[in-house]
Amino acid sequence: MKALISTTAALLLSGTAAAAPTNWEGIYLGAHASHGEGHSQDRSNANASEKSIRGFAGGLQAGRNWQFDNNVVAGIEGTLSFGNVNQEWKDRDNHQYSPYYGKDAVTRSGAVNLTLGYAAGQWLPYVSAGVTVARQEFSLGCDKSLVEATNGCRVAEFETRASHVSTGANVGAGVLYRFSDQLSAGAEYRYTHLGSSPVYLEDPNYPAAARRSFHTNYSSVTLKLNYHF
């Protein structure tokens, strides 16, 4: 009987140890790759159509976690991403006689997020929210050769570019898996809204419409790899 009790206790203790949550406390550095899709629209022009933007980005992240006795894990993380979430468009796709074309793009971004998760064995599911700062680039041009018949470039053909650093908000959710004391990997979904990006795109055909206001939002799915210190 004593042997049976001892064996049962040993099995229960070993099972408890196996299920014990991983310690996520501390500092980490890592790299990520993501794919984003969203929309950009010039709200200052009632005739402007919404553009679908998409593309890839990659970069680095660094953060600090604090783990509490109830296995709740709170943290702060900063990310830097470089890529091209964009669309090169021709307005003839929406208006058959329009010779206008352009590009809307998010080329780089940085974010600072607060995270809140729960350590479950080697898994860490979490939610996050924070601030995103992004560089956006826009171009606009008019080329009569793009359509068979038009009066759209009635003064001149042209091409112009402008950029703006926008500030917005993001929310997301993800999960990490701890492979060892040093390495973890996971995936995250994030929605980013950059709000209004005011830029000047000079159009000699419509000089009064130079002031533009682009509104951009996009969703991204990101794969992460972290090294814990």
Side-chain angles (χ1 to χ4, degrees):
M1 178 64 71
K2 289 182 179 180
L4 178 60
I5 293 174
S6 298
T7 302
T8 303
L11 289 172
L12 288 173
L13 289 173
S14 64
T16 302
T22 298
N23 182 13
W24 293 87
E25 179 88 21
I27 296 171
Y28 62 89
L29 296 173
H32 64 266
S34 67
H35 178 262
E37 293 191 6
H39 300 92
S40 177
Q41 185 173 23
D42 178 8
R43 298 284 181 87
S44 64
N45 181 357
N47 296 319
S49 58
E50 186 177 73
K51 308 300 189 301
S52 295
I53 58 174
R54 60 177 54 86
F56 293 91
L60 303 171
Q61 69 268 359
R64 171 72 160 91
N65 287 327
W66 293 268
Q67 185 161 331
F68 302 98
D69 292 340
N70 57 2
N71 299 329
V72 170
V73 180
I76 184 169
E77 181 179 270
T79 62
L80 288 174
S81 298
F82 304 88
N84 210 345
V85 180
N86 73 94
Q87 185 186 41
E88 296 185 22
W89 53 268
K90 293 180 175 63
D91 201 39
R92 68 185 183 193
D93 295 336
N94 299 289
H95 307 94
Q96 63 176 327
Y97 298 119
S98 174
Y100 280 85
Y101 65 94
K103 181 178 180 179
D104 299 1
V106 179
T107 59
R108 66 199 72 171
S109 65
V112 176
N113 279 37
L114 299 178
T115 62
L116 185 65
Y118 183 82
Q122 292 173 270
W123 294 93
L124 179 66
Y126 64 91
V127 294
S128 65
V131 176
T132 297
V133 178
R135 179 180 173 85
Q136 294 184 261
E137 298 179 1
F138 306 95
S139 66
L140 179 69
C142 192
D143 182 353
K144 291 182 180 180
S145 68
L146 294 177
V147 290
E148 294 181 359
T150 181
N151 294 319
C153 301
R154 56 185 181 179
V155 175
E157 295 182 319
F158 74 95
E159 183 174 289
T160 185
R161 301 174 184 275
S163 63
H164 185 263
V165 176
S166 307
T167 301
N170 74 77
V171 294
V175 62
L176 292 169
Y177 181 80
R178 194 72 166 263
F179 292 98
S180 67
D181 289 343
Q182 283 76 41
L183 293 176
S184 69
E188 178 183 287
Y189 166 83
R190 182 179 294 183
Y191 173 79
T192 301
H193 189 280
L194 294 177
S196 175
S197 298
V199 295
Y200 284 89
L201 291 171
E202 299 289 346
D203 182 348
N205 303 295
Y206 300 96
R211 184 188 295 272
R212 313 280 175 157
S213 179
F214 289 90
H215 288 240
T216 303
N217 62 80
Y218 58 95
S219 297
S220 58
V221 175
T222 302
L223 300 179
K224 293 182 170 183
L225 179 65
N226 293 322
Y227 183 88
H228 299 261
F229 295 90

